[in-house]
């Protein structure tokens, strides 16, 4: 990792307000922070935190911030020489820090400072008092992927949000509507965390390969009802397309558009449930289809792991970032998050 242009240990010594440690929470007290080799670590318990970051230095700089399990938290931000800019964001800290069925990860909050010419002038972490959380329920195309070159769109979504909204990504690789509801580490864990007003985005379809239509529909309805019982706002999301072209350059086959082996048209069922239950719908199938087709057979390879792994289902960082931008636009257009909390551009 490249060296920072200033001494980040000094930056980390700036005020870092932390909550009192709950009883029995070893290592959570004291407000201890360390920055070295481009990583700032804060000893905080699981929760939601506001992060205030000051960027810039004597020379022109360009800095990005990531955190936890490869989440993109702040897009690369250019600052002219001799100037400073401040950015604020809200981060979800949880255990496990990535996929719910994965390893616990590192306790506390880890922020990674990157970019083509990084310059961190100061950083402050405080408990978030009134933040809205966006919960994500999904599969490997959504989750916080642990390793390169994979990335889920939920992993890239935080960079498009400002202070006041965090992303709690409970998507998990390999999950169907059946397994998500049945695994106590998943739905039974997420549901009690939902607070009134929290949007809960549900994209499950890729692994419902043997789920019949009646079961698939009932499972979606169960998730919708469970979110509403907690006072949350369910949002149904149709699945991202697979990069599976016809000879004429279109994606109108069942493989690309998520029709399973039983003939269940997953996007159509999601749309139907959304209409019947009066649930906001993000038609990510239609939006990703339009984007992938517009790029064509060759250029669209960069969105998936076609070259790296002959994988036309899972996305690269570039693909996940573009797909997350589509979700960002829908969140803003449908007013699913507070005004002013969506980062544009």
């Amino acid at each position: 990792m490249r060296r920072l242009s200033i001494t980040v240990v000094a930056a980390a010594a700036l005020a870092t307000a932390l909550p009192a440690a709950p009883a029995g929470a070893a290592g959570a007290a004291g407000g201890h922070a360390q920055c070295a080799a481009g990583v700032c670590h804060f000893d905080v318990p699981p929760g939601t935190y506001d992060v205030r970051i000051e960027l810039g230095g004597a020379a022109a700089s360009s800095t990005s911030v990531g955190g936890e399990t490869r989440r993109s938290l702040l897009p690369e931000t250019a600052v002219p020489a001799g100037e400073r800019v401040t950015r604020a964001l809200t981060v979800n800290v949880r255990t496990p820090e990535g996929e719910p069925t994965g390893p616990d990860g590192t306790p506390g909050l880890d922020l990674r400072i990157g970019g083509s010419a990084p310059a961190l002038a100061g950083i402050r972490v405080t408990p978030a008092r009134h933040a809205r959380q966006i919960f994500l329920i999904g599969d490997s195309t959504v989750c916080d992927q642990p390793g390169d070159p994979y990335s889920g769109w939920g992993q890239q979504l935080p960079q498009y949000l400002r202070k006041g909204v965090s992303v709690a990504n409970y998507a998990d690789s390999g999950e169907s509507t059946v397994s998500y509801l049945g695994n106590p580490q998943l739905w039974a864990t997420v549901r009690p965390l939902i607070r009134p007003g929290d949007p809960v985005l549900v994209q499950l379809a890729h692994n419902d390969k043997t789920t019949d239509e009646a079961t698939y529909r009932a499972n979606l309805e169960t998730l919708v009802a469970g979110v509403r019982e907690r006072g949350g706002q369910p949002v149904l999301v149709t699945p991202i397309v697979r990069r599976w072209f016809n000879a004429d350059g279109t994606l109108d086959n069942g493989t690309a558009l998520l029709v399973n082996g039983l003939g269940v048209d997953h996007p159509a069922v999601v749309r139907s449930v959304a209409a019947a239950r009066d649930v906001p719908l993000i038609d990510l199938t239609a939006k990703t289809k339009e984007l992938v087709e517009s790029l064509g057979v060759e250029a669209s390879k960069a969105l998936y792991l076609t070259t790296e792994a002959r994988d036309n289902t899972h996305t690269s960082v570039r693909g996940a970032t573009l797909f997350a931008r589509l979700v960002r636009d829908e969140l803003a257009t449908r007013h699913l998050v507070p005004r002013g909390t969506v980062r544009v551009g």
Side-chain angles (χ1 to χ4, degrees):
M1 184 175 292
R2 58 177 63 87
R3 293 174 62 86
L4 297 181
S5 61
I6 66 168
T7 305
V8 291
V9 173
L14 299 177
T16 304
L18 303 174
H32 185 61
Q34 292 180 324
C35 286
V39 177
C40 290
H41 174 79
F42 300 87
D43 284 337
V44 296
T48 306
Y49 296 90
D50 290 331
V51 181
R52 182 183 182 276
I53 302 169
E54 188 176 4
L55 304 174
S61 62
S62 186
T63 310
S64 63
V65 179
E68 299 296 89
T69 302
R70 302 179 60 239
R71 300 180 215 164
S72 294
L73 301 176
L74 183 71
E76 190 151 347
T77 302
V79 181
E83 296 187 16
R84 299 284 177 85
V85 301
T86 299
R87 296 289 184 266
L89 51 95
T90 303
V91 181
N92 170 256
V93 177
R94 61 183 182 272
T95 303
E97 70 176 36
E99 296 180 86
T101 62
D104 284 353
T106 304
L109 170 62
D110 289 298
L111 300 176
R112 292 168 178 82
I113 313 303
S116 56
L120 174 65
I123 187 167
R124 178 184 175 91
V125 174
T126 57
R129 300 299 184 189
H130 304 290
R132 181 73 54 83
Q133 288 204 94
I134 300 174
F135 286 89
L136 303 182
I137 292 174
D139 53 35
S140 57
T141 65
V142 185
C143 75
D144 287 349
Q145 288 281 358
D148 286 327
Y150 291 83
S151 181
W153 62 255
Q155 204 163 19
Q156 301 300 324
L157 185 60
Q159 66 184 296
Y160 294 121
L161 301 170
R162 302 179 188 272
K163 177 184 174 182
V165 178
S166 69
V167 175
N169 190 350
Y170 283 87
D172 196 71
S173 293
E175 305 301 340
S176 65
T177 57
V178 176
S179 64
Y180 203 95
L181 285 168
N183 189 332
Q185 292 177 280
L186 300 172
W187 178 234
T189 296
V190 176
R191 187 177 177 277
L193 302 176
I194 300 169
R195 300 169 304 182
D198 284 340
V200 182
L201 278 57
V202 179
Q203 186 216 279
L204 286 168
H206 281 87
N207 300 300
D208 279 280
K209 299 173 183 177
T210 59
T211 309
D212 63 76
E213 182 170 339
T215 301
Y216 184 64
R217 180 182 297 272
N219 289 344
L220 292 175
E221 291 174 341
T222 295
L223 290 165
V224 166
V227 172
R228 283 177 166 165
E229 287 167 3
R230 295 289 302 169
Q233 171 65 75
V235 181
L236 291 178
V237 183
T238 59
I240 67 168
V241 295
R242 294 189 178 99
R243 185 191 162 277
W244 200 274
F245 283 92
N246 294 319
D248 64 359
T250 62
L251 296 175
D252 63 0
N253 56 77
T255 300
L257 301 184
L258 283 297
V259 178
N260 76 6
L262 301 178
V264 179
D265 185 332
H266 291 107
V269 176
V270 175
R271 295 176 189 122
S272 174
V273 172
R277 300 297 178 181
D278 193 25
V279 176
L281 173 74
I282 296 178
D283 198 340
L284 205 51
T285 304
K287 292 183 177 298
T288 55
K289 178 179 185 291
E290 180 181 6
L291 175 58
V292 172
E293 286 184 340
S294 71
L295 291 172
V297 174
E298 289 303 316
S300 64
K301 290 178 180 179
L303 274 58
Y304 294 82
L305 300 176
T306 307
T307 302
E308 299 88 343
R310 296 184 180 180
D311 185 337
N312 292 298
T313 297
H314 297 97
T315 48
S316 64
V317 170
R318 175 173 172 75
T321 301
L322 291 177
F323 292 172
R325 186 181 299 173
L326 297 174
V327 175
R328 182 274 312 267
D329 293 344
E330 288 292 296
L331 292 174
T333 300
R334 297 174 178 273
H335 307 292
L336 294 169
V337 292
R339 186 182 300 274
T341 59
V342 173
R343 195 184 305 278
V344 297

